[in-house]
Amino acid sequence: MMILSRLNRMTYATRSQLQEACGLGAVRNANRILARLEDDGLLKSVRWHQKIYGLTKEGRYLLDDDYSPTSARDYIEHTLLTNEAYLSLEMPEVWRTEQKMSYRSKKGKVVFTPDANCVYEGRKTFIEVDRYQRMSVNREKVATYSELQSLYRKNGKLPPVVKFYGINPTRVDRIRRMMSDANVEGTAELIS
């Protein structure tokens, strides 16, 4: 049941991600366990560069979850990168993906949707994953986080941290510079 609930939190995952997240041991043992769950009709998989697992309708039913995620390739690839961020942050207890957030500014209500948010090392943390989106989108995100952090500071509160993860070193460097120029507290890191 632990594997199902962890996969439910991750939406889609590779065998290696599930191995790390669930402590499944060696590759052979992990493959055996996942194959059994697949045979039992609780997991489904698709093979691209490696097998990618998701819960079936029956698997979600056992967890009393009726959410059915899209199976679009871009969404799955984005989810796998978000999982890498989740694992690199040592699987925070509170981890929410694609949750709408908002704050009030001089311009009115600002609504934004981070790829994930969590509490990491005692601080609210927003996670953004950059694969190949336009840099103008990243610039808008950085501006939003700059304004949000500024509002926190004005109110004497500790602002949330922003962590960008990307797969291209040049893009990660550009995001890092954007964050520095906008005085955004956080990091931009490469992720596999």
Side-chain angles (χ1 to χ4, degrees), residues 118-185:
C118 65
V119 175
Y120 179 68
E121 295 181 345
R123 286 185 72 182
K124 181 79 168 168
T125 304
F126 294 115
I127 310 300
E128 293 291 349
V129 174
D130 172 64
R131 285 180 52 243
Y132 301 110
Q133 66 190 356
R134 294 185 325 269
M135 272 306 201
S136 61
V137 173
N138 287 329
R139 200 173 341 305
E140 289 172 20
K141 288 179 179 183
V142 168
T144 297
Y145 289 124
S146 176
E147 182 178 44
L148 177 64
Q149 287 182 344
S150 177
L151 289 170
Y152 268 80
R153 288 184 196 105
K154 282 181 186 174
N155 291 320
K157 296 180 180 176
L158 192 62
V161 175
V162 180
K163 291 186 174 286
F164 272 85
Y165 291 92
I167 58 174
N168 179 299
T170 305
R171 293 174 64 84
V172 168
D173 285 342
R174 286 181 68 189
I175 293 168
R176 195 176 291 131
R177 280 194 304 277
M178 278 190 266
M179 290 173 70
S180 177
D181 292 346
N183 195 28
V184 172
E185 186 179 346

Side-chain angles (χ1 to χ4, degrees), residues 47-178:
R47 180 172 281 287
W48 289 336
H49 53 297
Q50 58 185 309
K51 248 185 172 180
I52 298 161
Y53 295 91
L55 292 175
T56 62
K57 187 175 182 178
E58 292 78 18
R60 287 191 310 275
Y61 177 78
L62 278 178
L63 298 172
D64 198 27
D65 185 0
D66 57 0
Y67 169 69
S68 183
T70 180
S71 58
R73 187 178 182 117
D74 282 348
Y75 175 78
I76 293 173
E77 289 175 355
H78 187 269
T79 300
L80 295 177
L81 287 174
T82 305
N83 289 345
E84 289 298 323
Y86 173 66
L87 294 170
S88 76
L89 294 172
E90 300 166 356
M91 301 180 294
E93 191 64 35
V94 175
W95 180 264
R96 294 183 180 91
T97 57
E98 303 292 334
Q99 182 182 38
K100 284 189 189 240
M101 314 285 287
S102 65
Y103 64 89
R104 295 240 176 251
S105 74
K106 292 178 182 176
K107 301 174 223 167
K109 185 177 181 179
V110 177
V111 178
F112 64 103
T113 307
D115 292 325
N117 71 78
C118 65
V119 175
Y120 179 68
E121 295 181 345
R123 286 185 72 182
K124 181 79 168 168
T125 304
F126 294 115
I127 310 300
E128 293 291 349
V129 174
D130 172 64
R131 285 180 52 243
Y132 301 110
Q133 66 190 356
R134 294 185 325 269
M135 272 306 201
S136 61
V137 173
N138 287 329
R139 200 173 341 305
E140 289 172 20
K141 288 179 179 183
V142 168
T144 297
Y145 289 124
S146 176
E147 182 178 44
L148 177 64
Q149 287 182 344
S150 177
L151 289 170
Y152 268 80
R153 288 184 196 105
K154 282 181 186 174
N155 291 320
K157 296 180 180 176
L158 192 62
V161 175
V162 180
K163 291 186 174 286
F164 272 85
Y165 291 92
I167 58 174
N168 179 299
T170 305
R171 293 174 64 84
V172 168
D173 285 342
R174 286 181 68 189
I175 293 168
R176 195 176 291 131
R177 280 194 304 277
M178 278 190 266

